[in-house]
Amino acid sequence: MSIPESATDFPTETVQEGKVHLVVPKLEAFKKQPSDYAPSKAPVFYNSVMELNRDITILAFQAFQRTANREISICEPLTSTGIRGIRFATEIHGTPKVLINDINEKAFKLAKHNVQLNQLQERITVKHKDANCLLSCHGAPHKRFDIVDLDPFGSPVPYLDSAIRALRNNGLLAATATDLAPLCGVHAKPCIRKYGGKPLRTEYCHELAVRLLSGCIATLAAKHDIGVRIVFNHSTDHYIRVYAQIAYGAKKADESIKNLGFILHCFNCLHRENTKKPFAEHAEKCPECGSKMDYSGPLWLGKIFDKQFCELIAKENTRVAFKNSGKITKLLTLATDEAEAPATYYVLDKITNKIALPVPSLQVVLQNLRERGFQAFPTHFNTRGVRTDAPALTMQDLLRKIAATA
Ligand SMILES: C[S@@+](CC[C@H](N)C(=O)[O-])C[C@H]1O[C@@H](n2cnc3c(N)ncnc32)[C@H](O)[C@@H]1O
Ligand SMILES: [Zn+2]
């Protein structure tokens, strides 16, 4: 199908992703210098690197649909080229209705064209509105969605409240955040302002980022007497992604906000602990080495994966063949393993740097910890990361012993 004049007035090309073909901006045409980040220079945003994010989304939403065992509706209010919503309608069984939207007129026209290109006019509605306006119009009973997917520039926070209100009971919210400088503690102020929690620049700051976003979702949901469960998350490339299932009810909301608290961190010995005490009551001294401790939060201290949901996503992954299937398998294997592990992880290099030792193999460390009766799991957040209940000084001793016997 040729592109009608009205759909674009800028250079485009056709790409294939998953089972769909789409017209997208020809990124090369918008790159003036080699250092330019072409996706945001184009009049309509398109980033092929996010294919992995979209693939995992397809698997997660399919797992959700299969569990619901009925037809589901999905809203993607920040759609850009339409690629996500078009893939949802094409690749997820049991999704007769998808609503996509973008405030940018060029994006709206291109998304509309792409819907026609894939002959999905009957199943996908394309809107040209402000996302909050659109979501708010769907905040009443019988107008709500089973799933809302927020994939914004930067932070999803401006859209969280209306997205939560636009979800049916037991609905699923998926949100990407690319504003990792605030969330990982490089710029603390915007994180406190937007997410309501203090970040901390630690080796596990990406997990803190997931917990800060999750805490923010739970806090906003609770205002509407809605509880949340964080069923899946991942930290990949330049972004984090959180999947939260909501449940209506004041009691559910009360239960959910019981998961809020703080993570205390000692920059001297790397000890960390969770606390639900208000900050004024925190012990200032590290119980391991006596140094002053810093903190992150309030944030979500509860589970950030549901093991069963991880297994269901992994099962969906065996049913399809994506370009990224290998990477996804690895990620899902790690996520399933770490689902029930303690919060936060040590990064081996960080400890060995402190005590001037070579970095041992991750497998050796995991095995040694288990032999000593500790929990020990790798994590998808970091290839050198270890989730364990062993205290920081015990970790140091263990790494010394491993180095001595190597
Ligand atoms: C990161 S892009 C979306 C990428 C897309 N989801 C994908 O997978 O390729 C964010 C989009 O949000 C749109 N946007 C920004 N503010 C908006 C608003 N207030 N209402 C609706 N759309 C908005 C932008 O025009 C842009 O197309
Ligand atoms: Zn300490």
Side-chain angles (χ1 to χ4, degrees):
M1 184 192 273
S2 65
I3 311 171
E5 278 286 298
S6 54
T8 62
D9 55 4
F10 50 87
T12 58
E13 62 184 335
T14 303
V15 295
Q16 197 207 328
E17 188 181 294
K19 289 190 178 151
V20 305
H21 284 89
L22 281 109
V23 174
V24 301
K26 195 175 171 64
L27 295 185
E28 281 309 307
F30 303 98
K31 221 173 158 172
K32 302 243 161 32
Q33 298 160 21
S35 61
D36 277 350
Y37 177 58
S40 50
K41 297 271 168 200
V44 176
F45 181 91
Y46 168 68
N47 189 355
S48 60
V49 171
M50 292 300 257
E51 179 169 352
L52 178 82
N53 177 317
R54 291 185 281 265
D55 288 349
I56 295 173
T57 307
I58 302 272
L59 300 174
F61 290 0
Q62 185 67 77
F64 174 89
Q65 185 279 333
R66 230 181 271 278
T67 311
N69 195 22
R70 58 175 169 77
E71 291 185 332
I72 57 164
S73 57
I74 307 180
C75 176
E76 201 227 339
L78 306 157
T79 198
S80 198
T81 58
I83 190 161
R84 236 166 236 271
I86 291 171
R87 286 195 63 189
F88 297 162
T90 311
E91 297 174 41
I92 304 175
H93 305 291
T95 51
K97 278 193 208 148
V98 177
L99 176 59
I100 62 176
N101 170 76
D102 205 288
I103 200 165
N104 172 346
E105 190 175 3
K106 289 181 197 249
F108 162 72
K109 284 185 176 164
L110 187 55
K112 221 171 162 58
H113 171 73
N114 280 326
V115 167
Q116 283 166 10
L117 189 66
N118 289 278
Q119 297 176 347
L120 289 165
Q121 300 92 308
E122 300 290 311
R123 294 179 41 211
I124 302 186
T125 308
V126 191
K127 296 273 184 191
H128 178 213
K129 285 191 169 192
D130 167 68
N132 278 322
C133 225
L134 176 87
L135 289 166
S136 293
C137 287
H138 284 268
H142 309 298
K143 290 199 164 180
R144 297 187 178 120
F145 305 99
D146 292 294
I147 298 179
V148 175
D149 186 343
L150 296 176
D151 184 47
F153 292 138
S155 174
V157 171
Y159 312 104
L160 287 178
D161 190 85
S162 57
I164 291 164
R165 285 187 285 113
L167 278 173
R168 289 172 66 168
N169 191 19
N170 299 319
L172 186 68
L173 171 70
T176 312
T178 60
D179 55 336
L180 293 191
L183 278 167
C184 288
V186 181
H187 308 300
K189 271 190 192 163
C191 184
I192 296 168
R193 200 168 64 229
K194 282 185 190 292
Y195 293 87
K198 181 171 113 52
L200 202 57
R201 223 173 154 179
T202 60
E203 56 277 28
Y204 52 91
C205 62
H206 289 86
E207 179 180 338
L208 291 179
V210 165
R211 293 184 179 280
L212 284 159
L213 171 56
S214 304
C216 181
I217 294 172
T219 308
L220 288 169
K223 294 183 204 305
H224 302 289
D225 288 344
I226 292 174
V228 304
R229 281 192 319 124
I230 307 303
V231 290
F232 187 65
N233 79 86
H234 63 107
S235 160
T236 308
D237 303 327
H238 63 291
Y239 66 88
I240 56 157
R241 178 109 163 132
V242 168
Y243 293 77
Q245 185 169 25
I246 67 146
Y248 285 7
K251 277 196 183 140
K252 295 267 167 56
D254 288 340
E255 282 305 309
S256 143
I257 56 169
K258 279 187 193 156
N259 288 292
L260 297 174
F262 299 86
I263 291 179
L264 309 181
H265 181 86
C266 171
F267 280 99
N268 183 45
C269 73
L270 308 181
H271 172 74
R272 59 292 296 267
E273 59 188 52
N274 300 352
T275 179
K276 291 186 181 169
K277 287 182 196 155
F279 185 61
E281 291 174 28
H282 291 168
E284 296 261 316
K285 294 265 170 71
C286 169
E288 290 273 293
C289 75
S291 303
K292 192 167 183 285
M293 293 181 87
D294 206 337
Y295 75 98
S296 178
L299 44 64
W300 180 261
L301 291 176
K303 286 201 160 72
I304 52 173
F305 300 96
D306 178 293
K307 195 175 176 73
Q308 207 186 348
F309 192 60
C310 292
E311 286 166 352
L312 290 174
I313 303 175
K315 198 165 179 187
E316 294 302 334
N317 191 36
T318 62
R319 294 189 164 118
V320 290
F322 291 138
K323 212 161 57 190
N324 291 310
S325 288
K327 270 190 196 169
I328 296 173
T329 305
K330 273 190 201 149
L331 191 155
L332 292 172
T333 306
L334 286 165
T336 309
D337 275 356
E338 69 183 308
E340 312 225 309
T344 81
Y345 51 89
Y346 295 107
V347 174
L348 296 182
D349 321 41
K350 188 87 184 168
I351 310 178
T352 52
N353 277 350
K354 252 188 197 302
I355 53 178
L357 286 175
V359 189
S361 103
L362 180 71
Q363 287 312 321
V364 169
V365 175
L366 293 173
Q367 195 188 327
N368 269 270
L369 280 165
R370 285 176 196 142
E371 281 167 9
R372 284 166 172 75
F374 292 109
Q375 294 180 55
F377 303 89
T379 170
H380 89 283
F381 281 98
N382 191 312
T383 51
R384 296 293 215 186
V386 180
R387 286 191 188 277
T388 177
D389 50 351
L393 295 182
T394 307
M395 279 300 286
Q396 289 190 11
D397 281 350
L398 184 110
L399 296 186
R400 281 196 191 94
K401 281 187 186 126
I402 292 174
T405 55

